[in-house]
Amino acid sequence: MAEYLIKNGHVFDPILGIKGEVHNIAIRDGKFVEPSALTSSAKTIDASGKTVMAGGVDIHSHVVGPKVNVGRLFRPEDKLFKSPLRQPKNARMEMGFSVPSTFKTGYDYSRMGYCFVNEAAMPPLHSPHVHEEIRDTPLIDNTAMPVLGNNWFMLEYLKNGEIENNAAYTAWLLHATKGFAIKVVNPGGTEAWGWGLNCVTINDPVPHFNITPAEIIKGLIETNEYLRLPHSIHLHGNNIGNPGNYTDTIDTLKLAEGYSPNCDFGRDQVIHNTHLQFHSYGGDSWLNFESKAKEIMEYVNRQKNLTFDLGVVTLDETTTMTADGPFEHHLQSLNHLKWANVDVELETAAGIVPYVYGKDVKVCNIQWAIGLELALFCNDPMRSHITTDHPNAGPFIRYPRIIKWLMSKASRDELLHSFKWSEKVIGATNIESIDREMSLYEIAMMTRAGTAKALGLSHMYGSFTEGLAGNVAIYDLDPENMPSDPEMIEKAFGRAAYTLKDGVIVVKDGDIVGDTPKSTIWVNVKVPENKQVARDVSEKFLRYYSVNKDNYSLFEEHLHNPKVIEVDITA
Amino acid sequence: MAKVIKDVGCPYCGACCDDVEVTVSDDGKKILEVANVCAIGAEIFKHASREDRVKLPRMRQPDGTYKDVSYTEAIDFTAKMLVKAKKPLIFGFGSTNCEAMSSAAKVAEKAGAVLDNCASICHGSSFLAMFDNGYPSCTLGETKNRADVVVYWGSNPAHAHPRHMSRYAMFPRGFFTGKGVMGRKVITVDPRFTDTARVSDIHLQVKQGHDYELFNAFRMVVRGFEADIPDVVAGIKKEQILEVAEIMKNARFGTIFYGMGLCHSDGRNHNVDEAISLTRDLNETTKWTIMAMRGHYNITGPGAVWSWQFGFPYCLDLTKKNMAHMNPGETSSIDLAMRDEIDAFINIGTDAGAHFPIEAVKHIKKHPMVTIDPNICMASEISDLHIPVGIVGVEVAGIVYRMDNVPIQYRKVIDPPEGVISDEELFERIYQRMCELEA
C-alpha cells in the first residue's frame, strides 16, 4: 500500500488543536502515522498554500434505504437535465440531483472531501435493502441507525418501565440489522399515524399503547446509556415543521436534563437533536411565521449534554422524506404534489413528497435564515453540525454553499437582499444583525471533528491523530490569503484538490481518480442473557410480523466489509 | 436422515411466502417434500429435481438443432454479441435475485444496452401512475395487524397469489385484528365472479373497462357529492356504491390491492392514478393504503435495484453509456422490438417467447438472441443460445423484494446440477469477457 507525506499544508484539526499552522501529515498502511515512520518509498503531495483537514464525517443524511429509493423511483424528473455525464475515470454513471443514485452519492461526497456518512434512518424490517445499497455506494464508509421511536416492543417495555428488557431488545435489534445507534423519529406520532393520527406535543398519549412521547424519549435515553452505545439517541422530535413548534422543541430538549453520557467513546451528549432548523419556528401561522433560533440556542448553549445538526434550507427543488409519516401527509396537503407513504409493521413509517423551496417564497427564506442562525448563535461549533437533512432541506452537495454563507456575511447579505420579500424576511429573523463569520477551524469542527465526536467515532475519524483512518481532504484555499470572492470558498469545498480515503487518492482536482473498499460499521453490544425478551421476540414474529424471525436478521453474506464496534456491558 | 430446511422463501409469486419447509435427501441433492406452500410453488421446488434438466449451455447449429457447449464458449458468444450490437436489449428478471440484477446492470452499462424488466408488460402502468401521483402504501404486516377493510380490485389472489389472503389480507389474526376474517370486510371489484369474489363479503361486478368511472363515483361520494351520481355507474347501482363508500369511509385502516385488471384494461395508468387519488381522498379522514399485486416473486427487485443504481425502475436506455434515459413508449421493450430497433436480445428470468406479441418476437428473431433460464421455455426454443442457470430460491440464495418492497433473504436448499452456475456468476463472467474483448 502506498505511503504518503502531505507536505506544507495549513492543517486544521480541532482534536489536536492545530489551527492552520503548517504541518506535515503522514499516512502508512491506510492510517495516520508520525512522519518519521514513513519509508523512503513514500510519495509526497505538495499542499502548500492549501487547507488540509481530516476526511469529512456526515452525522445525518438519508442516502440509502427504502424511502430514499422510493424518492428515486417516483421522481424521474429529478434526473432530467440534472445528471452530469459520466466522467472517464468513474466506474459507473451518476444519475439524479436531490436523490442521487448510490454511485453519484459516493462520488459527490468524495469530491467534497467526505469519507463517512451516517445513514439517518433504517427501518429494521428493511435492513437487507439498506445493506444492499451500502454495497453499491462507493468511497464512503457507512453506518445506519435503526428507527426505534415507534417500535411496539419498545412501546410496551417502556410503558412498563422495563429499561433492561428494552435494552436487551435494542441490542438484539442492532445485531439483527447490523445497526449503529438508536434513531427516534416523531416518538409515538408515527405509531399514531397507523390510524391516520399524530402526537404533536410530548404529552400526547400514543393510541392504544398509552405512553407519551416524553416517556419514550426519557426511556430511550436511559436505554442508550445503559447500553453504553457510542452515539447518543438521535432525535427528530414531535411537531416538526409547524409554526410555533419551538416551545415543543425546548420541552423536548429539557427531557435531557439530569442525564449524563455513560460510554467509553468520548461523547458529551445524551441527545443529538437532528435538523434543528425544522424545530425552531415561531408564530402561529404561515403568515406570522418567524425565527426562534435565538431562543432555542439560548437554551442549547447552556446545556452541555446536547448536540444538534442544522438542516439548512438551501432554496432548491428537492425531495422530502422522513419516517415522520404524519408530517409528510401534512406536507402533501400543503403543496398538493405526489405523495408516497410506507407504513412498516410494528416499527415505523415513512413518507416522501417533492418540495420546492422557492427563492421568492417568504417562508422558505425564513427557514434558510433559521438554519444559519442556529450555527451563528452557537458558542461551541463542536456541538453544531452542518447538514441539510439531505435531501429534506436540500441536497448534501450544497454543504460548500452553507460553508460559504457561514464564513461570509457579505454572501449572506447579498442573498438576503435579493429576496423578493427581503424586508419581511429581515423582520422575521435575526440574520441581518449577525456579523459573525466562522473560521476554517470552526468549519472543521462542524464537519468532521465535532460530528465524529458526537457519533462516538473519534477513535476512527475526524482528526489526524496517529492510528486513525487515513482520510484526508485538501482544499484549494490559502488561509493566509483567503479569496475576496466568497464564491471561491464554495468552489474549493465542492471540488477537493485531493481526497484520500484510507490512504488512497480517490479524488484529484475535483475528479474521481481512484477506488478503494468502503466499510459498514455497526455496534455489537453484549448484554446479559434475557429469556423474557427472547420469548417476546419469538412471539411477536410468530403472531404479528409478516416475515419469519430467522429471515429478518441480516444474513452474514449480505453484510459488506463490516467493521464491528464491540461493547460489553456484562463486564 | 432426510433433512428439513425451514424458513425457505418461495420462488413463485410476489407474496414471497418465507415459511416454506423443504425436506431434502441425505445427500442434499434431491427435494423430497415441501410444506406450507401452494400448488404452484410446490411444482417449482419439485421441478428442480427433474432428471431432464438442461445442464450445459446449448448453441444453435446451422441445421437448426441445439448442441451442448461449455460455459466458456457460451459466455464468449454472449460477450461478443453485446460488444458488437448497437442497441442490445436485456429483458426479464422477474425470476432471479437482486444480485443478478445488479451484475446485469453492470453488463448493460458497459454494453450500452437497453435494460428492462417484466414490469414493462405488467405493472409498468403502475409506475407511470406513481410518477404522477405517488404511492401511499404499507407493508403487508400492517394490513394483517390493522386492516378492517380490504379491497381486491382487478386482482384475483385466489389463483394468482394463492396464500395472499390467508397470510396477509383476509383471514389472519393480527395485533388489532384479533377476530381475523370475522372482523374484516372484504370487497372485490372484478367484472368476473372470481374465486376471490366468491369468498368476499361484497362483489362489485364492474363493467369491463369501466373501472375509472367507478373510482370517480367513489371519490365523489367520499368528497360529499353523492347527490350528483347517476343511478348506475359502470354497471354498479348507486345504492351499492353508497354502501361501499360508507364502509370505506368508516374503516379504521384499509388497503386496496389492485392487479392487472387496472393496469391492462382500458385506461391503464389512469385507472391506477385514480385508485391512488381515491386512497389520498380517504386519508383526509381515516387511514387507507394501496398496493400493486406484483406478479413474480422478485419482479419488485429490478425496480428497486435499478432505481438506486440509475434512478429509474424500468425501460432504461443506457446506449449513450454516459447517462441513463427512460421514456416508456420509446425505450420500452415491446415498442423497441415492434420498431425493430433491437439488434441483439438477452431473455433472462422470464419467457419473452411466450409473453411478447408475435410481431415483436419476429423482429427480435432477426438478430442474435440468448436465453438465460434454468428450464426449457418458448424463448429458449427460438434462441441462438440457451444458458441454463441455478433456480433462485431453490439452488441459489439471494435477496428478493416482496410486492410491498420488503426485502426477503432467500435460501439455497439444494445444489444446482453439477457445473450449472448462478445468474450472478454468469453476468460477472460476461462482464469480465467484455473487458477482455475491449482491452
Side-chain angles (χ1 to χ4, degrees), chain A residues 76-90:
Chain A
E77 69 275 15
D78 194 50
K79 268 66 71 173
L80 196 62
F81 310 125
K82 291 177 175 177
S83 303
L85 296 184
R86 177 177 167 179
Q87 298 297 303
K89 296 244 178 159
N90 290 7

Side-chain angles (χ1 to χ4, degrees), chain A residues 160-462:
Chain A
N160 299 327
E162 299 168 7
I163 298 297
E164 277 181 39
N165 287 345
N166 193 46
Y169 168 72
T170 304
W172 177 82
L173 192 76
L174 288 171
H175 187 273
T177 61
K178 300 297 178 276
F180 173 70
I182 298 176
K183 175 70 185 296
V184 190
V185 180
N186 189 359
T190 298
E191 165 52 32
W193 175 240
W195 306 117
L197 306 170
N198 196 3
C199 298
V200 292
T201 80
I202 58 167
N203 299 314
D204 291 3
V206 184
H208 172 80
F209 292 96
N210 211 17
I211 179 175
T212 64
E215 290 166 332
I216 296 172
I217 293 167
K218 286 170 84 85
L220 285 173
I221 293 175
E222 288 168 28
T223 303
N224 198 87
E225 303 314 323
Y226 176 89
L227 287 172
R228 304 215 300 261
L229 296 179
H231 191 33
S232 62
I233 69 161
H234 195 107
L235 177 65
H236 154 158
N238 304 76
N239 205 18
I240 192 176
N242 284 321
N245 66 4
Y246 83 105
T247 51
D248 297 307
T249 306
I250 291 175
D251 288 345
T252 303
L253 293 173
K254 279 185 175 166
L255 297 171
E257 287 177 13
Y259 290 113
S260 52
N262 174 34
C263 74
D264 303 327
F265 296 90
R267 66 176 154 87
D268 292 329
Q269 89 279 12
V270 295
I271 289 180
H272 177 83
N273 195 120
T274 189
H275 42 67
L276 193 55
Q277 177 272 132
F278 286 122
H279 303 268
S280 306
Y281 298 163
D284 55 20
S285 77
W286 297 113
L287 289 174
N288 60 11
F289 181 71
E290 60 177 344
S291 169
K292 289 290 177 187
K294 196 171 186 179
E295 288 76 1
I296 291 278
M297 286 317 299
E298 273 170 8
Y299 179 78
V300 173
N301 278 333
R302 287 203 306 269
Q303 307 299 320
K304 295 302 163 205
N305 62 353
L306 300 173
T307 57
F308 67 98
D309 61 81
L310 305 175
V312 178
V313 165
T314 61
L315 303 174
D316 285 289
E317 176 185 328
T318 190
T319 313
T320 65
M321 50 180 68
T322 165
D324 196 334
F327 174 71
E328 292 288 350
H329 180 253
H330 175 62
L331 200 59
Q332 63 95 38
S333 65
L334 285 177
N335 75 2
H336 305 290
L337 296 178
K338 55 190 170 187
W339 167 52
N341 178 74
V342 194
D343 288 1
V344 181
E345 60 209 57
L346 291 83
E347 293 176 351
T348 179
I352 306 110
V353 177
Y355 202 83
V356 182
Y357 289 100
K359 190 170 166 292
D360 290 328
V361 179
K362 186 191 78 172
V363 168
C364 302
N365 300 157
I366 295 170
Q367 289 177 305
W368 164 80
I370 294 171
L372 299 177
E373 286 176 5
L374 291 169
L376 297 167
F377 282 133
C378 181
N379 57 19
D380 181 6
M382 282 296 278
R383 301 201 283 133
S384 148
H385 309 140
I386 292 178
T387 68
T388 58
D389 186 20
H390 166 82
N392 284 299
F396 68 81
I397 50 169
R398 295 297 188 228
Y399 290 179
R401 191 166 292 175
I402 296 169
I403 293 171
K404 171 188 76 180
W405 288 326
L406 293 176
M407 292 185 70
S408 159
K409 178 168 168 59
S411 75
R412 294 197 294 267
D413 283 349
E414 190 191 339
L415 183 60
L416 180 63
H417 292 290
S418 74
F419 293 146
K420 184 175 176 186
W421 309 106
S422 61
E423 287 311 312
K424 286 186 175 176
V425 175
I426 290 165
T429 61
N430 312 291
I431 190 131
E432 203 199 24
S433 62
I434 305 175
D435 293 327
R436 184 174 182 184
E437 293 189 329
M438 303 195 83
S439 66
L440 287 169
Y441 189 66
E442 289 172 318
I443 296 298
M445 292 179 175
M446 298 178 77
T447 52
R448 46 267 287 162
T451 46
K453 182 179 176 191
L455 284 163
L457 292 176
S458 49
H459 61 296
M460 297 171 82
Y461 306 111

Side-chain angles (χ1 to χ4, degrees), chain B residues 152-160 165 170 186-206 261:
Chain B
Y152 284 112
W153 196 313
S155 63
N156 182 17
H159 287 189
M165 293 185 290
M170 191 184 287
V186 179
I187 301 155
T188 294
V189 187
D190 204 301
R192 303 170 299 165
F193 185 57
T194 59
D195 286 341
T196 306
R198 197 184 302 277
V199 294
S200 302
D201 297 293
I202 296 173
H203 174 216
L204 299 182
Q205 197 150 18
V206 61

Side-chain angles (χ1 to χ4, degrees), chain B residues 293-336:
Chain B
M293 297 283 276
R294 305 301 301 272
H296 291 286
Y297 67 97
N298 197 20
I299 188 51
T300 309
V305 175
W306 301 341
S307 285
W308 79 61
Q309 295 193 338
F310 302 102
F312 303 118
Y314 76 139
C315 300
L316 292 115
D317 183 336
L318 308 175
T319 52
K320 295 178 191 72
K321 294 194 181 183
N322 54 16
M323 62 165 293
H325 161 68
M326 175 199 71
N327 189 18
E330 180 200 346
T331 62
S332 34
S333 297
I334 303 287
D335 301 277
L336 287 166

Side-chain angles (χ1 to χ4, degrees), chain B residues 44-81:
Chain B
I44 292 178
F45 281 101
K46 286 184 186 163
H47 203 92
S49 295
R50 276 170 59 149
E51 290 300 324
D52 58 351
R53 284 278 298 274
V54 180
K55 292 171 183 140
L56 273 175
R58 303 180 297 155
M59 187 84 78
R60 184 78 61 199
Q61 300 302 302
D63 67 356
T65 60
Y66 259 147
K67 179 189 155 199
D68 287 355
V69 296
S70 67
Y71 271 100
T72 310
E73 256 178 281
I75 287 160
D76 181 64
F77 177 92
T78 312
K80 282 179 176 155
M81 175 184 92

Side-chain angles (χ1 to χ4, degrees), chain A residues 26-37:
Chain A
I27 305 175
R28 186 179 167 177
D29 297 329
K31 301 207 180 292
F32 294 124
V33 294
E34 284 292 316
S36 58

